[in-house]
Amino acid sequence: MLEVANVSKRFGGLLAVDGASLKVAEGSIAGLIGPNGAGKTTLFSMIAGAVPPTAGEISFAGQRIDGLKSHEVCHRGIGRTFQITQPFAGLSVRENIAVGAHLHHRRRADALAAAAEVAKLVGMAGLLDRPAASLTVAGRKRLELARALATRPRLLLLDEVMAGLNPTEIGEIIGVIRGIRDSGVTVLLTEHVMQAVMSLCEHIHVLNQGRVIAAGAPSLLVTDPKVVEAYLGRAAAGRIEAGSRHAS
Amino acid sequence: RAQAGTIKVGVLHPVTGPLAYSGTQARAGALLAVEHINATGGIKALGGAKIEPVLADAQSKPEVGAAEIDKLNEAGVSLVLGPFASGIALATTQAAARYDLPHVVDVGVVDQIVSRGLTNTFRFGPGFGKITSTALENLVKINDAAGKPAKTVLIVHEDSAFGAGMAKLLNTELPARGFEVVDTISHATPTRDFTNIALKIKSANPDLVIPSNYLNEFILMARTLQQQRVRPKGIYAILGGAASNIKFANEHNEAAQYIMDCNHWYDPRKPVAQAFAKACAAKKIDLTYEAMLNYACMQVIGDALEHAASRDRKKVTEALAASKFDGHIMPYGPTLFVNGQNEGAQPVNTQILGKNIEVIFPDTFASAKAVYPIPRA
Amino acid sequence: MNPDRIKLIAVPVVLAALAAAPLALGTGYWLGLATTTLMFACLAQAWNLLGGYGGQFSYGHALFFGTGAYVTAVLQVRLGLDPWTGLIAGTIAGGAIGAFCGALSFRYGLKGSYFALVTLAFAEVFRILATSVPFTGGGAGILIPLKVSPANFQFADKAGFYYAMLILFAVSLIVTLAVERSRFGAYLVAVRENEAAAAALGIDIFRVKLGAITLSGALAALSGVFYAQFFLYLDPHIAYGSGVSVEALLAPIIGGIGTLFGPLIGAIVMRALGEVANVWTDGAPGLNLALFGLLLIIVLRFLPDGIVGLIGRLGRRHA
Amino acid sequence: MLLEVRDLEAGYGEVTVLRGLSMTVASGEIVAVLGANGVGKSTLNNTLSALIRPTGGQILFDGTDITAARPAQVVSAGLIQVPEGRRVFPDLSVRENLLLGSYRRGRARRDANVERICTVFPRLRERFGQAAGTLSGGEQQMLAIGRGLMAEPRLLILDEPSLGLSPLLVEEMFALIGAINAEGLSILLVEQNVAQTLEIAHRAYVLEQGRFVMAGPSAELADDPGLRRSYLGL
Amino acid sequence: MTASLLVPALVNGLTTGAIYALVALGLTLIYGVLHIINFAHGSLLMVALYGVYFLNTGLGIDPYLALPIAVPAFFILGYFLQRGVIEHTAHGRDQNILLVTLGLSIILDNLALYFWRSDTRTIDVPYGFDVIDIGVALIPVPRAVAFGAALGIAALLWFLIGRTDLGRAIRAVARERQGARLMGIDVEHIYGLCFGIGTATLAAAACLLLPSFYVTPQVGHAFVLVAFTTVVLGGMGSFTGALVGGLILGLVESAGGLILGESLGQIGIFIIFILVLLFRPTGLFGGKPA
Ligand SMILES: Nc1ncnc2c1ncn2[C@@H]1O[C@H](COP(=O)(O)OP(=O)(O)OP(=O)(O)O)[C@@H](O)[C@H]1O
Ligand SMILES: Nc1ncnc2c1ncn2[C@@H]1O[C@H](COP(=O)(O)OP(=O)(O)OP(=O)(O)O)[C@@H](O)[C@H]1O
Ligand SMILES: [Mg+2]
Ligand SMILES: [Mg+2]
């Protein structure tokens, strides 16, 4: 469904993404992990059209999308959330989500109604009339998700939507994301919360210093020494392995 | 008939905003006249009724001027005097016409003010056409008398209504009178720096510079000409803001020397005019043309009220239209409004000589002889 | 009742009240003041559409006001067209200039102060051009001949002008209401709040902003057209001077930025402050305006969200 | 006691978030505050840092009452917060961000401290001249902590320092917290990463609905079944 | 057009540009660094010019010698305007700051009109008409002094903002107030200082300008627009930018005036301005756009 081929991005002297390639299959939940500053957000921004790639090709559903603007990419069916949340601070939660819903609803009333529906989906039904500015970090992350969902995307890019949530809340949102996938939306996410990545993703790409250094099923990556050294650290890898052994 | 009490007269000028200086001067002149009229028995035909000036501020904006007319109308004024600037005058005369309110225009030089057929409008001072033609005639005379030292002319003017209009006229008229216009330089108000203009003048090297601009720019220009050692044979301003300003003559005496101006000015020989000048000095009012014209306008108004013997606007309008008043301080002869324009109105020529502003033309009441061309040590 | 409903009812009520106002205002000063207040309210409404809803602060709305005014005046004086055609032409010209200026600035991503200043610069360029080209009458300005007749947009009595202006203002108010309730309006507000997020939700930021500035330009031109017909004289400074631009942004900020009635309320309050200042200082030149400035600051001190904000706060407390 | 909070109440406008909190941090301690999203942990931190004025109660720092102090005075006293969301200075370079850390305190050893922090976070040295706003999320987090340490704090408040860090860095982060604590620095730690937090903290408080509902040594809390259920997802 | 006209015109453009730079320096600090759009800038310049004028006519103090009096006085004035008026009325909202400064300018302009009347005032200094003859052009002494001073003040501000803790704090506060507070930076104090410094540079500009200029209550307006233009042209918050921007504008205006005529020549300033904004919106020396 999504294919990124040899994409690079240069900021001045810094090569933030360096010939990265990846594929995401339709209907799957794929993960993109890697150390801080590896270029994950930059890669997301390039897919979403917010930042033009310096080199390489990006295609979505068989069509080239690199070079398109953000809004054009959105019209093609790609939704994204921002790692550093970007709420419409002066608007209420309902109005925030309605902006996304307008993509498919011309009339205001329809968009507002659709917003309420989406809010229910992500567990924000009770917050509809709260100003977005007064939400906590967790609330804002959910709002990001809701807004993107309201555009009814075929592919959803989630940039660290779980950061700042406690384990219980992470459990909840994992359920939400599964639900989204089950409704037919493909998901590509980056996350540092391994518990979530391990349980959600079917396929994971590991990015380090702008390059994809490994890709495969979660269980395989945990034991990949390159991944452990660059990203997980021995302690975490050990804990995850212990955890999965425990669970199985 | 014991018709004592007061007669309300609207005094409308831009006393705030960019035109504040002129507006304030104008107001001061008008009020001085009111004081004199009231002190000498008020309007006798109305039982010695005093003139009560109702002050209004156009804030240098036409729409405010028009709104002030509404207010003055409601205050029950019998007529209005003002409003110094052409742009404002166009709006105020029209607004006043709605109430059949007589409107005496003091300065506004744009000729459309009186050519629109508004029967309530009377312009006491000369208009554009008159000023320019007089200025040109006098220029020729002064130049001829000195043995025609000036052949080439350079015009410097500010680019709004009055300066631009002036320049246009000069450009068609001067060649017809044997002068060659070597350049016409227009500049904005305010202009921050005159060095370039001075350099251009220096390089074009005209015999005569004709500036037409407001006070501040004139001061800067005169100082810059001196700084850049630009020495034409004469500077002949037309409605030059500073050339008839005594403060300029005092504060920048060196830069101001020998500058001539064709402008509104009073007749210094008339005793009333001398009394006026004395009163100005006593009250520390700068002796400027705005003050003079408004003083004279109020005198005309006083006379018209005497003849009207009424506060009624229609009667006042009729009295103004029939006015043959001669006792004012301006060198105009008896007032004669034709289609609202005072036919006798004309500018005079002044020159800064030493610390004084002297009238040099017309000869009939000149207080000094023109020093032209400028003597070079 | 939800706020959307309230507005639907409030708009006709307010317009009806304004239509009835001359009964209380008489035919003199107050009616004239009301007419110019509506004129500036219309200009403010135009500014508010772009600045309040769209977050694109312009310091150069004189650009559109002046263009509307000059286009009608020039068409009338030079080509002999009637003022009603001039009204349409002026409005279109205002929109076109808006589109032109917007296309240039938004295409290159100008935002915030940069956008504000570029509009100011455009207004200045037009002011200088109007001073320098002959068909506008140059610095000497342009004078529309006095010929009283409604067909000529010149009314014998003041009330005629008042109602003409009221209709123009109603247009601006209804356009704003329609925008508020449309998808375009939602997009406009989203762009104001966060451009990156808006783009990611499928909004073509450039087009939304361009639409807003075009509409705003056209509405502002309406007030300019009216000015020309009401005062019959224009010069570059009157039309394109920075004073007009300041008027345009003052009222919405005082009234309540990005609100439907903010510009009207702000325009009324500003005139009221001016009147109060006049009365208190007995019209002492300078002092009255200084007091006006002081009152302006005091209003801001106590009403940080404008007057509509205050009304909203009071409303919430009662609810 | 280094920090002593009595019956603290605070909120935003008409909304009260903290409803009477009392807590202490002793010299040399790591004290954790746990709680679900939106219960007011950051509000507590900001009240301690004087960004929010309390509506009731008292805050004593090293025996002095700082309830009504201004933020600058709190910083001068040595109470430094590394805020949630990092709040680095986006237009300033990494180096300048660090230098500003010692705006009020620790100026004498400024250069040495920069050196020390760059040894702890080599990434920062690599990005020394880059504008902080262009750093990745994790890099900004390192910078924020480094900037806080530049002030040579006596009590360091860390608001979710592991947020957005890779597992490896989280590991290092907790090691670092342990290390600076071992040098004698007291730490108030707000974290979602409950398991690891309880491993390194001496004591912990659990915040719910504006009040502390549990408090005690970490080891005891870690074994509490209620806490395990609601905060560890077990 | 001959070189004999062009060269002195360009030299003159540079000296005029230095004046623009002087006025713009304070503005770039307040506007570019703190993102306060200070509409009162021109009015404060006017007040400063009156101050220097009265020091000269009342106490006989030469405008250049008035520098050590006027500069600290205006620093204090600026500081208290910010802390006492703007801070309390603006409530941190940009549009309110804009209005407060607008209100301030209305107040200052009209109080000046009320107390000092609308007369144009000038002073006569012994060196007022002295010129330095550099062969190709005559440079009035006051202009030459202002030129040197503009360079010096720009350098001073550049050092202050770029190289000192105070400067870093000012830049930090501009974008991240909360973070700054947590570092113990007193945000309100910094705003006050910044506004104070910006106002103080106006006092310096006034001292340097008065020997060759005039004062009226309206005088500030002649400089405001061009000062804003200078700031954007140079890049907001950049002192080198303000300096170079001012010089460029001086040159453009001078050359434009020569070629297109003084009136239309002014258009050059704005066209340059629009072009720079469109193609290099961060200005000639600006960093990232805000
Ligand atoms: N606009 C920019 N200018 C310069 N450098 C940039 C810019 N944006 C990102 N970078 C750099 O590119 C690198 C990759 O950043 P990116 O945000 O993609 O990382 P990431 O993988 O998302 O990290 P994290 O997990 O911490 O969010 C970082 O080193 C960052 O400093
Ligand atoms: N500026 C604000 N204005 C109004 N309400 C606010 C504001 N900031 C926070 N709140 C509200 O105060 C409550 C506590 O927020 P706080 O940020 O302290 O929570 P937290 O425990 O730190 O949450 P998180 O784990 O998400 O960071 C929340 O309900 C939040 O919505
Ligand atoms: Mg990232
Ligand atoms: Mg928090």
Side-chain angles (χ1 to χ4, degrees):
Chain A
M1 166 152 247
L2 176 74
E3 195 173 339
V4 175
N6 281 317
V7 163
S8 300
K9 179 69 200 179
R10 178 177 289 283
F11 293 112
L14 179 77
L15 199 55
V17 176
D18 181 7
S21 301
L22 57 82
K23 277 185 192 164
V24 178
E26 177 143 23
S28 69
I29 300 182
L32 178 65
I33 61 174
N36 296 110
K40 305 181 294 294
T41 300
T42 308
L43 188 57
F44 268 31
S45 296
M46 287 190 287
I47 298 171
V51 173
T54 316
E57 290 181 13
I58 304 172
S59 350
F60 176 64
Q63 284 176 313
R64 283 281 290 273
I65 57 165
D66 53 280
L68 296 186
K69 300 255 173 55
S70 280
H71 65 271
E72 291 163 334
V73 173
C74 178
H75 280 270
R76 298 281 176 99
I78 299 182
R80 80 170 293 192
T81 67
F82 291 91
Q83 177 178 5
I84 297 170
T85 55
Q86 313 272 0
F88 302 125
L91 307 186
S92 68
V93 169
R94 188 196 305 275
E95 289 165 331
N96 263 271
I97 306 175
V99 172
H102 263 305
L103 191 69
H104 295 290
H105 298 284
R106 171 162 273 285
R107 288 190 44 221
R108 184 103 188 104
D110 297 346
L112 289 169
E117 285 302 309
V118 176
K120 235 180 269 166
L121 214 61
V122 300
M124 295 194 90
L127 302 173
L128 274 171
D129 291 311
R130 281 276 291 274
S134 77
L135 294 177
T136 62
V137 174
R140 288 173 187 222
K141 296 264 177 191
R142 277 179 200 235
L143 182 58
E144 285 284 332
L145 183 58
R147 253 184 358 198
L149 266 185
T151 65
R152 292 206 227 125
R154 292 153 67 198
L155 171 67
L156 194 54
L157 306 174
L158 302 178
D159 197 349
E160 298 201 29
V161 286
M162 295 177 210
L165 306 195
N166 69 31
T168 318
E169 293 162 326
I170 290 174
E172 286 167 22
I173 209 142
I174 286 176
V176 173
I177 294 173
R178 282 222 177 89
I180 293 171
R181 195 267 314 269
D182 294 343
S183 71
V185 181
T186 310
V187 177
L188 173 62
L189 55 81
T190 100
E191 205 58 73
H192 291 303
V193 180
M194 280 304 110
Q195 172 202 1
V197 177
M198 291 297 147
S199 71
L200 267 176
C201 300
E202 291 137 31
H203 193 88
I204 295 178
H205 304 267
V206 184
L207 205 61
N208 188 25
Q209 301 193 344
R211 301 174 152 277
V212 177
I213 56 165
S219 49
L220 294 179
L221 292 181
V222 180
T223 50
D224 185 331
K226 271 187 301 195
V227 180
V228 172
E229 198 203 332
Y231 181 65
L232 288 171
R234 269 171 232 302
R239 245 199 322 269
I240 294 165
E241 263 185 296
S244 56
R245 232 177 293 130
H246 197 79
S248 55
Chain B
R1 310 177 296 174
Q3 277 227 28
T6 61
I7 304 164
K8 290 182 178 166
V9 174
V11 178
L12 170 60
H13 293 105
V15 292
T16 54
L19 300 173
Y21 178 71
S22 293
T24 310
Q25 282 296 115
R27 179 184 273 188
L31 293 184
L32 198 57
V34 169
E35 211 173 283
H36 287 181
I37 293 170
N38 287 344
T40 52
I43 306 299
K44 288 151 201 117
L46 289 170
K50 304 267 186 272
I51 292 181
E52 180 190 337
V54 183
L55 301 180
D57 175 14
Q59 295 180 10
S60 306
K61 294 179 196 162
E63 70 267 21
V64 178
E68 292 291 294
I69 290 285
D70 292 337
K71 248 190 203 165
L72 291 173
N73 172 54
E74 272 153 41
V77 299
S78 296
L79 78 170
V80 174
L81 166 62
F84 175 72
S86 295
I88 306 175
L90 287 166
T92 56
T93 50
Q94 189 181 314
R98 233 183 263 288
Y99 304 115
D100 290 322
L101 179 61
H103 190 320
V104 177
V105 176
D106 50 356
V107 182
V109 289
V110 169
D111 282 323
Q112 279 95 333
I113 294 172
V114 284
S115 66
R116 295 198 289 176
L118 295 174
T119 50
N120 68 321
T121 304
F122 301 91
R123 182 168 65 188
F124 179 69
F128 221 60
K130 179 74 184 172
I131 294 169
T132 331
S133 59
T134 314
L136 287 168
E137 272 165 38
N138 292 353
L139 174 61
V140 173
K141 286 181 194 157
I142 292 172
N143 196 39
D144 286 354
K148 298 199 183 191
K151 292 188 178 56
T152 54
V153 169
L154 186 145
I155 302 165
V156 182
H157 68 93
E158 65 95 42
D159 60 11
S160 84
F162 108 78
M166 185 71 63
K168 213 161 118 193
L169 264 171
L170 288 179
N171 260 303
T172 50
E173 296 291 326
L174 279 170
R177 289 162 216 253
F179 293 97
E180 183 199 347
V181 179
V182 291
D183 202 357
T184 304
I185 305 173
S186 85
H187 65 80
T189 307
T191 284
R192 294 166 290 262
D193 175 43
F194 272 88
T195 314
N196 262 350
I197 294 177
L199 290 172
K200 274 191 191 165
I201 298 175
K202 199 174 185 178
S203 119
N205 196 23
D207 299 325
L208 198 64
V209 176
I210 301 190
S212 184
N213 44 20
Y214 290 115
L215 182 67
N216 297 335
E217 283 67 35
F218 199 104
I219 294 177
L220 277 187
M221 184 183 69
R223 297 213 311 185
T224 313
L225 288 182
Q226 195 195 357
Q227 230 162 31
Q228 293 293 333
R229 317 283 190 254
V230 182
R231 297 189 179 99
K233 291 183 184 142
I235 298 178
Y236 184 85
I238 303 183
L239 296 182
S244 306
N245 185 303
I246 191 73
K247 243 172 78 189
F248 169 65
N250 283 330
E251 286 176 4
H252 304 283
N253 196 252
E254 211 178 320
Q257 269 326 296
Y258 305 118
I259 291 178
M260 294 180 280
D261 191 13
C262 181
N263 209 332
H264 312 284
W265 202 253
Y266 67 170
D267 180 347
R269 297 166 311 160
K270 292 186 178 175
V272 268
Q274 285 154 8
F276 162 79
K278 213 173 280 160
C280 280
K283 295 210 153 192
K284 294 204 160 56
I285 298 171
D286 295 346
L287 196 59
T288 66
Y289 74 88
E290 297 96 335
M292 295 170 186
L293 262 174
N294 274 275
Y295 185 90
C297 281
M298 193 56 89
Q299 288 181 300
V300 173
I301 289 171
D303 173 71
L305 288 172
E306 287 289 0
H307 283 92
S310 165
R311 293 174 177 80
D312 182 63
R313 291 173 183 179
K314 210 181 220 127
K315 296 243 170 69
V316 175
T317 307
E318 282 163 12
L320 276 168
S323 174
K324 298 211 164 38
F325 183 59
D326 193 3
H328 56 71
I329 61 173
M330 302 303 284
Y332 296 173
T335 312
L336 176 66
F337 287 112
V338 177
N339 293 330
Q341 173 59 39
N342 180 16
E343 286 296 292
Q346 56 163 357
V348 307
N349 286 66
T350 58
Q351 186 170 32
I352 297 175
L353 292 171
K355 292 245 168 205
N356 299 320
I357 296 176
E358 306 285 0
V359 174
I360 51 165
F361 214 85
D363 293 328
T364 41
F365 55 97
S367 57
K369 256 192 83 64
V371 181
Y372 171 80
I374 296 174
R376 296 287 171 219
Chain C
M1 209 169 8
N2 78 31
D4 277 5
R5 272 274 160 66
I6 297 179
K7 278 182 201 161
L8 268 188
I9 300 169
V11 166
V13 169
V14 167
L15 289 177
L18 289 174
L23 296 178
L25 294 172
T27 56
Y29 176 66
W30 293 106
L31 187 61
L33 192 68
T35 311
T36 39
T37 306
L38 281 185
M39 182 178 81
F40 284 122
C42 177
L43 179 64
Q45 197 71 261
W47 185 92
N48 193 38
L49 202 63
L50 181 65
Y53 291 94
Q56 313 299 314
F57 276 39
S58 141
Y59 292 175
H61 253 53
L63 176 60
F64 312 125
F65 175 91
T67 300
Y70 261 118
V71 165
T72 32
V74 168
L75 287 182
Q76 237 173 302
V77 173
R78 304 265 181 267
L79 301 182
L81 292 186
D82 73 294
W84 297 101
T85 316
L87 173 71
I88 293 164
T91 312
I92 292 173
I97 293 284
F100 168 74
C101 164
L104 272 181
S105 3
F106 296 141
R107 170 70 69 208
Y108 290 97
L110 290 189
K111 285 186 232 174
S113 332
Y114 295 95
F115 172 73
L117 289 169
V118 88
T119 53
L120 189 124
F122 269 113
E124 277 299 300
V125 166
F126 272 68
R127 187 180 62 75
I128 296 171
L129 283 179
T131 310
S132 310
V133 296
F135 64 86
T136 57
I142 189 166
L143 189 70
I144 298 174
L146 193 62
K147 203 176 104 202
V148 179
S149 120
N152 201 32
F153 208 131
Q154 292 185 18
F155 305 96
D157 61 347
K158 277 210 153 97
F161 279 108
Y162 177 82
Y163 284 112
M165 188 58 234
L166 179 57
I167 291 170
L168 298 183
F169 173 73
V171 168
S172 76
L173 189 69
I174 291 165
V175 166
T176 309
L177 180 69
V179 166
E180 224 182 47
R181 299 169 60 82
S182 71
R183 167 156 79 181
F184 172 68
Y187 280 2
L188 190 56
V189 170
V191 167
R192 169 188 78 196
E193 294 290 324
N194 191 320
E195 292 196 2
L201 295 176
I203 300 175
D204 185 343
I205 297 178
F206 175 70
R207 268 184 47 188
V208 167
K209 287 186 187 171
L210 193 64
I213 196 172
T214 307
L215 207 53
S216 179
L219 290 181
L222 279 184
S223 58
V225 170
F226 181 82
Y227 185 99
Q229 299 304 333
F230 195 38
F231 294 107
L232 301 180
Y233 172 73
L234 284 180
D235 69 24
H237 202 78
I238 293 174
Y240 290 118
S242 56
V244 176
S245 301
V246 168
E247 289 269 3
L249 61 84
L250 218 52
I253 298 179
I254 292 278
I257 188 167
T259 61
L260 184 60
F261 292 110
L264 175 65
I265 295 178
I268 294 174
V269 166
M270 269 174 50
R271 311 278 129 183
L273 291 183
E275 291 301 311
V276 168
N278 265 335
V279 172
W280 281 2
T281 55
D282 210 8
L287 215 50
N288 57 342
L289 294 178
L291 181 60
F292 170 75
L294 186 66
L295 290 176
L296 208 64
I297 291 181
I298 292 173
V299 167
L300 276 187
R301 168 77 182 82
F302 294 103
L303 303 177
D305 296 312
I307 290 156
V308 173
L310 171 79
I311 296 170
R313 232 171 353 192
L314 291 179
R316 239 167 288 140
R317 194 157 306 161
H318 281 282
Chain D
M1 271 309 133
L2 183 60
L3 177 74
E4 190 171 353
V5 175
R6 295 182 191 141
D7 302 320
L8 191 65
E9 284 178 23
Y12 305 91
E14 284 154 27
V15 187
T16 307
V17 177
L18 308 179
R19 305 157 190 276
L21 295 188
S22 298
M23 67 179 300
T24 56
V25 179
S27 243
E29 253 189 328
I30 301 181
V31 173
V33 173
L34 308 174
N37 275 295
V39 291
K41 304 181 297 294
S42 301
T43 308
L44 170 63
N45 292 343
N46 289 342
T47 313
L48 295 179
S49 290
L51 296 182
I52 299 172
R53 187 151 288 241
T55 48
Q58 212 180 10
I59 307 169
L60 300 174
F61 186 66
D62 206 10
T64 3
D65 189 331
I66 57 162
T67 318
R70 286 183 292 110
Q73 293 169 316
V74 173
V75 170
S76 296
L79 198 166
I80 309 293
Q81 185 190 165
V82 177
E84 182 178 19
R86 304 160 191 130
R87 303 206 172 269
V88 294
F89 306 122
D91 293 339
L92 272 61
S93 69
V94 167
R95 174 173 173 272
E96 289 179 313
N97 266 275
L98 289 177
L99 291 182
L100 274 181
S102 53
Y103 186 76
R104 286 235 172 241
R105 276 176 70 89
R107 202 175 291 222
R109 284 167 302 283
R110 183 179 260 191
D111 293 336
N113 285 341
V114 170
E115 208 39 50
R116 194 166 63 106
I117 285 157
C118 288
T119 318
V120 179
F121 301 115
R123 206 30 154 346
L124 293 184
R125 199 195 300 277
E126 288 166 28
R127 299 273 182 275
F128 222 41
Q130 186 173 328
T134 63
L135 296 178
S136 86
E139 291 162 348
Q140 288 189 9
Q141 188 66 51
M142 299 175 209
L143 178 58
I145 295 173
R147 188 182 62 176
L149 289 175
M150 285 294 294
E152 304 184 343
R154 301 180 58 205
L155 172 64
L156 186 67
I157 302 180
L158 295 168
D159 198 340
E160 307 207 21
S162 75
L163 187 92
L165 295 193
S166 72
L168 182 61
L169 271 178
V170 171
E171 212 64 54
E172 288 175 9
M173 171 75 53
F174 278 104
L176 175 76
I177 293 171
I180 51 183
N181 173 250
E183 287 175 24
L185 176 58
S186 314
I187 292 170
L188 181 62
L189 179 60
V190 172
E191 256 300 343
Q192 300 284 12
N193 199 330
V194 180
Q196 274 166 296
T197 305
L198 288 179
E199 271 173 35
I200 95 165
H202 301 113
R203 290 188 302 119
Y205 293 85
V206 177
L207 187 59
E208 263 174 37
Q209 304 195 334
R211 291 191 181 81
F212 288 135
V213 292
M214 257 186 257
S218 306
E220 272 174 39
L221 286 181
D223 288 335
D224 185 280
L227 183 114
R228 289 174 67 89
R229 212 174 315 111
S230 34
Y231 293 99
L232 291 170
L234 295 174
Chain E
M1 187 161 323
T2 56
S4 67
L5 196 52
L6 191 63
V7 172
L10 292 183
V11 170
N12 171 52
L14 282 179
T15 61
T16 318
I19 306 248
Y20 296 165
L22 266 175
V23 180
L25 282 172
L27 197 65
T28 204
L29 179 66
I30 296 171
Y31 176 53
V33 181
L34 295 184
H35 297 269
I36 290 180
I37 296 203
N38 180 18
F39 270 124
H41 202 66
S43 305
L44 286 168
L45 174 65
M46 176 272 294
V47 175
L49 281 165
Y50 270 109
V52 181
Y53 172 85
F54 286 121
L55 282 178
N56 179 263
T57 52
L59 303 174
I61 300 174
D62 182 272
Y64 294 150
L65 299 180
L67 269 166
I69 307 170
V71 169
F74 267 71
F75 172 78
I76 294 169
L77 174 72
Y79 185 89
F80 282 102
L81 271 182
Q82 167 61 30
R83 296 297 310 265
V85 181
I86 301 177
E87 180 185 315
H88 292 292
T89 21
H91 304 276
R93 288 184 187 67
D94 285 354
Q95 73 261 26
N96 289 8
I97 294 180
L98 187 148
L99 270 211
V100 176
T101 55
L102 200 65
L104 273 178
S105 100
I106 297 177
I107 295 176
L108 292 176
D109 287 2
N110 287 287
L111 282 185
L113 181 67
Y114 183 73
F115 286 113
W116 300 320
R117 312 213 352 241
S118 44
D119 311 19
T120 301
R121 297 166 194 251
T122 50
I123 57 166
D124 224 351
V125 286
Y127 45 84
F129 291 98
D130 290 354
V131 288
I132 303 170
D133 192 342
I134 57 165
V136 285
L138 301 176
I139 305 176
V141 168
R143 292 294 197 84
V145 173
F147 188 82
L151 295 184
I153 294 174
L156 210 65
L157 285 175
W158 175 82
F159 179 79
L160 179 79
I161 296 298
R163 292 285 179 276
T164 66
D165 252 17
L166 174 63
R168 279 189 278 268
I170 288 177
R171 282 181 292 142
V173 161
R175 284 290 297 281
E176 182 48 69
R177 280 179 236 182
Q178 199 83 325
R181 285 212 174 86
L182 288 172
M183 293 303 104
I185 297 171
D186 186 340
V187 173
E188 285 70 29
H189 179 64
I190 293 285
Y191 266 69
L193 288 180
C194 200
F195 210 87
I197 298 170
T199 313
T201 60
L202 278 181
C207 294
L208 295 160
L209 193 55
L210 195 64
S212 58
F213 214 70
Y214 60 85
V215 211
T216 72
Q218 298 277 334
V219 69
H221 299 283
F223 289 94
V224 176
L225 207 55
V226 86
F228 272 112
T229 314
T230 306
V231 169
V232 176
L233 184 62
M236 295 191 190
S238 161
F239 301 104
T240 352
L243 186 66
V244 176
L247 296 181
I248 290 178
L249 283 188
L251 285 175
V252 167
E253 189 184 35
S254 198
L258 211 56
I259 296 160
L260 299 172
E262 287 303 313
S263 202
L264 194 56
Q266 295 259 325
I267 217 169
I269 293 187
F270 297 104
I271 290 189
I272 288 263
F273 180 64
I274 291 171
L275 289 180
V276 167
L277 270 179
L278 295 183
F279 294 105
R280 203 182 146 74
T282 54
L284 300 175
F285 289 80
K288 275 173 55 65

